[in-house]
Structures are given as structure tokens and as C-alpha cells.
Amino acid sequence: MAETEHGLEIPQREEHFFLPQDIIDNLGRIEALSQRHPVNILVAGKQGCGKSTMVRQFAANNNRALATFQIGILSEPGQLFGEHRLKDGETYYQQFLFPQAIQTPGCVIHLEEINRPEHPKALNMLFSVLSQDRQVWTDELGLIKVAPGVVFFATLNEGEEFVGTEMLDAALRDRFYVTLMDYLTPEVETDVLHLKTGIDQGDAQTIVNIAGQLRKNTQEPVTVSTRHTLMIAEMVAVGATVREAFANSLQVSRDILESVLLSLHLEMNMTERSHGSRYEKY
């Protein structure tokens, strides 16, 4: 990673990262808008579908510093900015990275799991930072203004399967442009596994087909993210069979896995590729 003059790092660009063309086009518009004023983007989608990677890639592609903050650990307002601490019997205020990051021109601020703070009021001070005024007052630090060109990305997993998540406050959601992400199409996911891990196309497509069957299993659907299929492909790349890689990577019953393997083996058109949205490298 390259370091900026403000001490923050510009992430390295990741190879073989694909997005639908419409999302790539929209990220180009976000970059253009950010030249006028700071911009907020909410990225929602299933677990492991590439939300965090997209944020890093946006920063890398546009030569921007990136600072990531876990919202899920916040329990009180102002906790992003700093906290009072005790040393040698005296209290002092410890400033955190967040104030520095939002005052760094062009910085990409990633707010992870924005719908999972330990207490909903912990997000209160974000309202001012994300509003049109782009400034907030704290007694300890004074007036903090968001620097020109800053882009806020907030990511969240949505769905009943994510225990502990809360619906994002409507007033907060209203401050964001929204980008929705989903799993890759089977064709693109196959290419990603092949390119990233070096396994052959046949094994990659087998992994993707099994994952697809598990995702749409009517009796007991299993969440198999792209992150998981990459982990499985990496196991295959170092000598595991596809069956062994799945068995050791997922919490899925052996009966369900064997049933999926059998059904795919019997399908005549197992290796046919599907055609969906157009994807490009980003």
C-alpha cells in the first residue's frame, strides 16, 4: 500500500475483481460528483458478495486513501471520534482516526456494518457528518469539517439470516445513494475462481454449480458466498477434491451435499454456462 501525506494508505488494486457494468458506470458518476462535494453511498447485499472489496477497489482505482471503521462495535455517540482515558491518575482525551480521516481531502471512509451498532444512538453524530453541512461540533475537538472530495461508503448485510442487524434509520438512509449487490453470475464466478486460484475451468464450474444448488435448496438453503467459493477453490488448488473442499469449508450436512453432487452428476447440461448481466473487470 502507498501512504499519503496525511499518513493514511492507498490500497493496492485487486486483480480479477468483476462488477456489473451498471455498477461500474455508477461508481464513475460517484467519482465525478465527489469533485463537487463529499458523497455518501450505501452498499447493501448478501454476506460475502464483494461489498468491502468494491470499496477498496474504488479507492485503489482512484488513487485515494482508505480508512475503514467497524460500526458494529459502537455503543455510544461520539465513540468514532475519541474517548476519555485514565493515565497516572489523570484523565485525558484520546482522539481516534475518524476525525483525521474525514478531514483528509479525497479520503474514502468505509463504515462497515452500519446497521449493527451496539446501541442505535451511537450513530447520532454521523447525521451531521453525512448531512449537507458536513460538519460536527465536539467539546473535545471543536468544529470538525469534512474535507473536499471525501466519499463515505456504508456497507450492510440485509436479510433475516443476519442476527443482530437493525433496519437502518430512515433519516440516515435518506442521506445515501444506494447500490445493491448480489452474487456473481455463474459464468463470472467460474472465471473468478479460475483466475484467482489457478484451478482449471472444469473444477471451477463444478464448485459454482454445487454452490448454486445449495443456495437454492428448497428444503434447507445454505448461504454460500463468493468468499466461500474462493476458499473452496483454494483448497482444491492445493490438492483437495471438490467434495473434500466443500465438506471442510461449509456447515452443511453430508446428506445434502451428497444429494447435490448426485443431482449435478446426472444433469446432462451441467457444464453449460448461463448468461446474465454483463460484468467487466473493475
Side-chain angles (χ1 to χ4, degrees):
M1 291 188 179
E3 188 172 297
T4 69
E5 60 180 301
H6 301 277
L8 297 170
E9 292 184 331
I10 300 170
Q12 290 184 341
R13 190 176 185 279
E14 183 169 330
E15 286 190 284
H16 314 309
F17 180 68
F18 292 82
L19 285 174
Q21 185 61 53
D22 59 337
I23 292 182
I24 294 175
D25 292 342
N26 192 57
L27 290 173
R29 299 183 192 105
I30 294 300
E31 171 65 17
L33 281 175
S34 71
Q35 304 305 317
R36 303 181 182 182
H37 54 72
V39 186
N40 314 324
I41 305 95
L42 178 66
V43 186
K46 296 177 181 177
Q47 183 180 21
C49 68
K51 300 183 295 295
S52 296
T53 305
M54 187 191 76
V55 177
R56 291 196 303 272
Q57 199 77 337
F58 176 87
N61 285 346
N62 294 291
N63 201 37
R64 291 170 174 262
L66 172 66
T68 300
F69 303 92
Q70 294 287 344
I71 302 302
I73 65 174
L74 301 183
S75 59
E76 59 185 51
Q79 201 170 2
L80 274 171
F81 294 83
E83 66 181 11
H84 288 94
R85 292 181 172 175
L86 182 66
K87 182 178 181 180
D88 298 329
E90 296 185 0
T91 60
Y92 70 100
Y93 186 77
Q94 175 67 56
Q95 178 179 320
F96 292 161
L97 177 62
F98 187 73
Q100 176 190 342
I102 66 175
Q103 294 178 96
T104 300
C107 189
V108 173
I109 311 294
H110 182 193
L111 306 171
E112 281 201 294
E113 297 187 320
I114 195 170
N115 58 334
R116 296 190 67 176
E118 291 186 9
H119 195 287
K121 290 185 178 179
L123 298 178
N124 284 354
M125 292 187 74
L126 278 178
F127 279 74
S128 297
V129 171
L130 299 171
S131 69
Q132 190 171 359
D133 288 343
R134 300 289 177 173
Q135 59 186 27
V136 64
W137 171 270
T138 70
D139 291 336
E140 297 82 5
L141 302 174
L143 185 64
I144 300 172
K145 295 184 178 181
V146 177
V150 168
V151 179
F152 290 91
F153 279 93
T155 55
L156 60 83
N157 297 322
E158 287 192 312
E160 295 179 358
E161 66 270 32
F162 300 109
V163 178
T165 61
E166 301 290 340
M167 289 300 295
L168 196 63
D169 184 280
L172 187 58
R173 185 186 287 262
D174 193 52
R175 287 164 164 75
F176 290 90
Y177 292 102
V178 178
T179 295
L180 301 178
M181 293 186 66
D182 204 345
Y183 295 130
L184 299 170
T185 62
E187 180 180 24
V188 176
E189 191 169 11
T190 298
D191 287 339
V192 167
L193 300 191
H194 167 65
L195 291 168
K196 281 185 172 290
T197 68
I199 65 173
D200 63 46
Q201 286 278 358
D203 283 341
Q205 187 156 14
T206 299
I207 292 170
V208 170
N209 284 333
I210 294 172
Q213 290 288 333
L214 290 170
R215 288 165 182 162
K216 63 184 181 182
N217 187 299
T218 55
Q219 295 183 338
E220 191 178 336
V222 179
T223 300
V224 186
S225 67
T226 304
R227 183 189 302 131
H228 252 130
T229 57
L230 276 168
M231 290 169 59
I232 291 164
E234 287 173 347
M235 287 288 288
V236 172
V238 293
T241 66
V242 171
R243 178 184 276 101
E244 290 170 337
F246 267 93
N248 293 310
S249 301
L250 295 176
Q251 295 180 358
V252 57
S253 74
R254 187 174 298 275
D255 288 344
I256 290 176
L257 180 57
E258 292 300 331
S259 175
V260 169
L261 289 169
L262 179 61
S263 67
L264 287 174
H265 180 71
L266 295 175
E267 286 182 12
M268 297 297 294
N269 297 320
M270 176 178 168
T271 59
E272 287 186 359
R273 290 186 167 197
S274 63
H275 297 277
S277 302
R278 179 183 164 202
Y279 280 70
E280 298 290 345
K281 277 192 180 182
Y282 175 64

